[in-house]
């Protein structure tokens, strides 16, 4: 349980987000929901924190699996 927060670039500019992780929910599931809401998520420049820790590199790797391919970024 916790909050993922940060920003990512979209075709309309920077998008800030705050996503709440429910008890027992995997971070990948939260990221999948963000991707479902906006397919730009995970392919563009971004910074992601989870409970005050920078997890941006981890998120790029998770997004590669979610998208089934190679993600831009790191």
């Amino acid at each position: 349980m916790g909050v993922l927060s940060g920003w990512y670039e979209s075709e309309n500019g920077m998008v800030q987000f705050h996503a709440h992780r429910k008890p027992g929910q995997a971070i990948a599931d939260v990221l999948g929901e963000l991707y479902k809401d906006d397919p730009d998520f995970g392919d563009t420049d971004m910074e992601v924190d989870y409970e005050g820790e920078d997890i941006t590199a981890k998120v790029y790797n998770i997004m590669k699996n979610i998208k089934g391919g190679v993600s831009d970024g790191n």
Side-chain angles (χ1 to χ4, degrees):
M1 189 168 155
V3 178
L4 285 106
S5 61
W7 61 267
Y8 64 96
E9 290 290 329
S10 76
E11 62 184 47
N12 297 319
M14 185 179 77
V15 177
Q16 293 185 338
F17 66 90
H18 299 279
H20 294 272
R21 182 176 172 208
K22 299 172 183 120
Q25 184 180 34
I27 289 177
D29 292 336
V30 177
L31 296 173
E33 291 173 12
L34 289 167
Y35 172 64
K36 182 179 172 185
D37 290 341
D38 185 349
D40 282 337
F41 183 81
D43 276 337
T44 60
D45 191 24
M46 67 177 160
E47 290 184 11
V48 183
D49 289 336
Y50 179 68
E51 296 298 302
E53 180 183 346
D54 182 356
I55 63 165
T56 304
K58 181 178 181 176
V59 169
Y60 276 118
N61 286 328
I62 291 170
M63 292 309 296
K64 287 178 190 177
N65 291 327
I66 289 172
K67 293 179 177 225
V70 176
S71 177
D72 293 340
N74 288 347

